[in-house]
């Protein structure tokens, strides 16, 4: 009864079927029919022409997106608690050849135009200071909070005004969309997003994420960087097939909604214990060590997030009965 | 009827079964029971204690191995026609932060101690010259040639004498072992190899290669580099399961032998047309454009390798009847 | 009447004489008699065996020192307001191949063991988190504050305890020593410093800084990195001669004391306007825009540091009369 | 009586005077009047608008030029015996973040359009192959050979045709111009050169080279890279002053001619011993070990270049009498 992370969930049966269907001899790398179908399929999904590269991890998607938006000598504005800053082992610095992450604050790990402005307005435009070239936001955030389209658009407008690229880390994009009920377009390119790390692995896929470029001209050089990074899979069709299976019949949104629903149930049970409003599939609770131990004694596993705080993450395959029992255990603390 | 590359072959059913068996919730990244089993399983296979990291591509395995053996300011001796020099889009330079590939010649894309010595003895040991830190050989080579244990050991002895690391690109290690009939130990650590890119993708796996370290102390830093490169898969168990399925009952050797056998059949038909002796699963033939067109007219697909030369690659799943027909077509040219 | 920066001061006549004395044909790079004399001369100065590399800028000294102490995948703890974070255009990230600067707070741009501990104790030791490998402190700091030997030793003890390297950015080391009256040894290796950027350019030299290694084994690889970075001067004797001239008869301390003395005079005039205690050659004053304009109307030039704050920097060649007039003008505000 | 390298020569008195004249308090970095004069002065020299950055070494000039012309994932065509490949400790790879040097052959270390075409036409335009982005030639070459304007223009035409940048390593540009008697314009931008490393250190300066951009748009990003590399000198006026002194009254050409003249005298004495025609200030001679020893017994110092081959380099300050004695000694062998 693990609530550590959605990262470790199973593969959705439809994804497995997709993989099996792709099990024919075809062109290597990304020349096969599945890989070649991605641009059209995701252009349809987003309601605009996009260019898509499959990559094996979310970290890869983020780092390649940042490298597309920021030169080695530039900087990327992100939240102090963002995944790219804290949990990717320096991947952004590696793939950008040493660009600097510029850390801003904000409630719920969300950036605001004001926070960004305060940070970058203090940077004189001379060669001694690293200049900002991009902004990276995460939706849903590390604390399970969601930016709505208006919030993204406000950041997008600032980005355009200052000539900065805008990246969205969408490792939990599905959870955000499921929560908001808006179109993928409204939350991305219509709000000024240039590149999206469109996550599937936390949501039912095995090993495929989509790096989606809304801004023309970035995909070609990124294809070279993907190869140079050692991430051009020999048999790309098995990654493309996962993505195609996930977007078929909105499976990704369905799965996001399932995970969100489980988190809502836990949130309802948690009441005043909640550290952050629950808007996606992560629940942060105040819990004493004794209370955390009590939950573990019931067989539930999860992270101690900070002193007196635990994190519970639900996934598309969370068992409703297990979630119910956890909710009861929380309520009973 | 594609003879372009073994890269594009199907997944072996046993690998698919292995993936399916791993489809349970488990620890993310490489903390799961499958990933944790790799060291013991491959230590058994190699008859010595090894440390193993799964990676998603052969390019990744090679580049991470080279980064483990060579600092950014160093050089790596390799063959002028090696994969790391010509076909990895600069991945060695990227992962090593700019180490220099030092190109040597040799028949059949094989290095010899003499060729290496000639190259490195001309490099004065001062700060103006990039110094060699490692040697990288490929077995089987880009031209389908095989180093036997004695040949590797001679290079290994030179490497030790000069304080250089020794890497083996074993994208087709299975084909080499199947050809030689020796133990994996004899061809690697007993011959002085420090790190092996142990390839499975060309041989029946979907997306997993093993980076095997024989020299202690290299795995830990490489685990950090793997993460930093964006190649620490969230659900590593699906990669580990592929590797475990491939080594179960020597499936990797069986598959290597199948591919080699098909190539031998083509070689027998080719006779004097052979550009290189056929020792693994690649066949290089002299063929005029008209002859190549004639083969294609029969429905066979393959690369034009050089002027008047074509390349045919067989795989574990090459259809014996199709191979037979191709052999007949070659003989009839 | 410029009080912008000590960076722009003139060359001390003794340095010019040193350069002229080195104007003979000699071995190129660092094989000449002046360069070869540096190790012995600075070992004498520091009372222990050191290895010394001349470099053309303080940024170069810092970045090479950090590269010697931290691998590309590691992190370096420094103050949020440090020069390496804010004023070197990303040089630390460039020379370390993307190591991460980890920002701590502290009064007067000074780090404390507690601040460092708070920062690094929150970093779990797993591959997802960049791990700290070094600490970098600046003495005197960006705000003209000075660490005394005990304060450095406390940080040095923490560094040793945690296995971290310790770098001191000594662009204004002379000002610190002049202030403290302690030995260079007490402020560096006896306090646990592994590498010192020993600044001369702000203090009378033309184009030479010394990178001093107290920890054995770092100089050799740094010599290769210096060359690789394009900073191995063809005629190194002209740099070595500057350093030798600066340490002759303690000229560096004399000059540091001169600059400090001018700053003290300004500080005395400034009284309650001081933003930071004046311990070296920088004076930060509260001044309204009208007051700043009034000073400028007298012909004094300086930086507006922050809203309502100006920075005045004195140098070895500050004219005592001009400083006196500035002090009077400040007092008269 | 050293004939090792022009690298180690003295500083020309006019350069020393220039340095002394710049010894006033002025703006730091490159904001001073001397640095700001460079663009206009060299635009006049080249007869077109150029942008100029001073840098402290020729390696720095080359590496920054290459970084301006080639992305990290690209390649640079150069001669197998070029300085950037063999004598810069990997600086091009460092500053370009791992671009690949692509080695071509050619008599006298000179590239030809044919040699370049043969090399790059074999590179398929796919992501597996590093693509060429620039060509770098050296004038005068490592073997003291000179490209005339027509030869450069032929390479420049090829570069334009293929969309490649063209860099000239002009560490000995003065020697080439002195030899050819053509305008600097004819040998550079009129022949298609985008960036020139304009060398002064081998020719009478102390520590200043000029990186000259003929192609607009490259200087600004290079200014950031120069700072990030740690090569933005605090007191740039002392570098700018050297360059201004060297171009005053064509001192650079006069000095180049002096060095060339000494080499011609040696060449005349060497007769059939010459390995390469002498066109600049380097003389390569066939000499047995005994003959080399005989010359050394007379007090002459020089490099053994290869088996049975020695290299003699003259400089602007070579003593005519000493050169005469060396010529006599060679003739007497």
């Amino acid at each position: 009864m693990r609530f550590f992370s959605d990262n470790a969930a199973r593969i959705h049966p439809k994804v497995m079927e997709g993989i099996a269907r792709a099990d024919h001899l075809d062109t290597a790398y990304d020349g096969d029919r599945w890989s070649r179908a991605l641009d059209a399929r995701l252009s349809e999904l987003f309601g605009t022409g996009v260019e898509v590269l499959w990559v094996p991890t979310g970290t890869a998607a983020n780092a390649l997106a940042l490298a597309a938006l920021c030169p080695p000598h530039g900087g990327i504005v992100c939240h102090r608690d963002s995944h790219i800053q804290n949990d990717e082992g320096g991947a952004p610095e590696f793939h950008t050849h040493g660009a600097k992450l510029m850390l801003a604050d904000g409630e719920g790990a969300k950036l605001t135009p004001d926070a960004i402005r305060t940070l970058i307005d203090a940077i004189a435009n001379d060669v001694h200071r690293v200049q900002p070239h991009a902004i990276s936001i995460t939706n849903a955030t590390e604390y399970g909070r969601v930016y709505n389209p208006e919030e993204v658009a406000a950041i997008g407008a600032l980005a355009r005004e200052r000539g900065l690229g805008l990246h969205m880390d969408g490792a939990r994009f599905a959870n955000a969309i499921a929560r908001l009920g808006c179109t993928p377009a409204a939350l991305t390119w219509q709000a000024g997003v240039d590149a999206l790390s469109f996550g599937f692995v936390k949501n039912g896929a095995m090993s495929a994420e989509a790096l989606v470029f809304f801004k023309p001209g970035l995909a070609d050089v990124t294809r070279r960087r993907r190869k140079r990074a050692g991430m051009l899979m020999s048999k790309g069709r098995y990654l493309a097939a996962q993505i195609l299976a996930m977007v078929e019949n909105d499976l990704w949104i369905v799965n996001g909604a399932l995970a969100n629903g489980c988190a809502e149930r836990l949130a309802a049970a948690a009441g005043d214990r909640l550290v952050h409003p629950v808007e996606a599939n992560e629940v942060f609770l105040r819990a004493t060590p004794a209370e955390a131990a009590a939950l573990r004694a019931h067989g539930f596993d999860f992270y101690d997030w900070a002193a007196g705080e635990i994190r519970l993450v639900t996934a598309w395959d969370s068992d409703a009965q297990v979630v119910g029992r956890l909710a009861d255990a929380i309520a009973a603390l």
Side-chain angles (χ1 to χ4, degrees), chain A:
Chain A
M1 300 194 294
R2 296 171 67 83
F3 290 84
F4 277 116
S5 174
D6 37 4
N7 248 349
R10 282 178 304 124
I11 307 175
H12 193 281
K14 292 286 185 193
V15 172
M16 274 299 219
E17 288 171 24
I19 289 174
R21 268 198 308 273
D23 195 15
H24 299 285
L25 183 66
D26 201 321
T27 304
Y29 305 113
D30 60 355
D32 61 276
R33 79 195 79 161
W34 288 270
S35 299
R36 282 184 287 115
L38 285 181
D39 281 8
R41 186 65 192 86
L42 269 69
S43 291
E44 186 188 339
L45 179 72
F46 282 99
T48 190
V50 301
E51 292 182 278
V52 182
L53 286 80
W54 43 249
V55 288
T57 71
T59 294
N62 287 342
L64 288 171
L66 297 177
L69 297 174
C70 182
H73 58 272
I76 298 150
V77 178
C78 65
H79 195 279
R80 188 176 307 286
D81 295 338
S82 63
H83 202 262
I84 60 173
Q85 164 67 1
N86 291 322
D87 294 292
E88 301 193 341
E93 289 89 347
F94 180 59
H95 285 271
T96 61
H97 298 292
K100 191 185 278 285
L101 299 189
M102 299 173 152
L103 309 181
D105 294 300
E107 197 257 322
K110 289 170 70 176
L111 294 180
T112 60
D114 276 354
I116 298 168
R117 227 178 261 119
T118 300
L119 181 73
I120 66 180
D121 284 354
I123 301 172
N125 185 8
D126 62 46
V127 298
H128 304 276
R129 304 297 306 264
V130 173
Q131 302 298 310
H133 284 252
I135 301 168
S136 179
I137 61 177
T138 309
N139 204 10
T141 76
E142 296 305 292
Y143 297 137
R145 300 295 304 280
V146 168
Y147 290 89
N148 64 35
E150 293 71 33
E151 291 170 317
V152 177
I155 294 173
L158 175 61
R160 267 193 306 282
E161 178 192 320
R162 302 300 178 92
L164 308 176
L166 180 56
H167 167 246
M168 181 179 282
D169 175 356
R172 295 188 179 99
F173 187 66
N175 305 94
I177 288 288
R179 164 78 183 196
L180 294 165
C182 68
T183 64
L187 202 56
T188 56
W189 64 274
Q190 291 179 346
V193 172
D194 297 309
L196 169 71
S197 301
F198 192 171
F200 295 105
V201 170
K202 292 180 192 294
N203 198 30
M206 185 172 81
S207 60
E209 312 277 66
L211 173 49
V212 181
F213 287 113
F214 303 104
K215 183 174 178 175
L218 301 177
D220 281 353
V221 68
T222 303
R223 279 190 196 95
R224 295 198 180 274
R225 288 198 187 105
R226 178 177 64 175
K227 173 64 200 179
R228 194 175 187 235
M231 297 195 289
L232 179 64
M233 313 292 293
S234 294
K235 303 177 181 177
R237 62 190 183 276
Y238 296 109
L239 274 72
Q242 295 176 48
I243 295 169
L244 293 172
M246 287 294 299
V247 298
E248 182 79 13
N249 294 322
D250 289 339
L251 175 60
W252 64 290
I253 303 179
V254 171
N255 280 3
L258 282 170
N260 287 2
C262 293
E264 276 166 37
R265 175 136 187 215
L266 297 178
D272 287 351
R273 291 181 178 276
L274 289 181
V275 181
H276 302 287
V278 172
E279 299 172 352
N281 65 323
E282 296 185 291
V283 181
F284 294 79
L285 295 184
R286 272 174 286 273
T288 64
E291 291 169 335
L295 294 177
R296 289 193 172 104
H298 284 90
F300 301 105
D301 278 333
F302 47 82
Y303 276 117
D304 292 317
W305 191 254
E309 195 177 317
I310 64 173
R311 187 187 79 164
L312 307 166
V313 186
T314 59
W316 70 273
D317 65 344
S318 294
D319 183 294
Q321 290 196 321
V322 170
V323 171
R325 288 207 298 276
L326 175 53
D328 294 346
I330 291 168
L333 284 177

